[in-house]
Amino acid sequence: MTNTPANEKWFQDRATEQIHLEQLQRAERFNGRAAMLGIVIGIITEGLTGAGIAHQIGLGPLIDGYTACRTQFLPFCF
């Protein structure tokens, strides 16, 4: 059985797909590990400082405004 140009193209395409899939898996694994590390650091910092994760990243006033709105301290909700 000889390799025809169509067979060779199919093998090359399949090899390219495998390479891209492996690269995607490595990138996703790295992103997942970085996210887990960030959450753990945020929880440890929250335990040490008492400030929640939203306050640590600067979203505290937004969260506080939503809480005030839901507890009826504001005459309007945004």
Side-chain angles (χ1 to χ4, degrees), residues 64-76:
D64 294 339
Y66 179 78
T67 303
C69 180
R70 290 292 157 219
T71 56
Q72 308 302 323
F73 291 133
L74 293 177
F76 58 88

Side-chain angles (χ1 to χ4, degrees), residues 19-36:
I19 290 169
H20 286 128
L21 183 61
E22 290 171 7
Q23 290 173 342
L24 179 64
Q25 288 172 341
R26 276 198 308 265
E28 288 297 322
R29 192 176 306 120
F30 177 79
N31 287 341
R33 289 175 180 169
M36 288 186 283

Side-chain angles (χ1 to χ4, degrees), residues 52-67 78:
I53 293 177
H55 286 83
Q56 293 173 27
I57 61 173
L59 295 178
L62 180 65
I63 301 300
D64 294 339
Y66 179 78
T67 303
F78 48 89

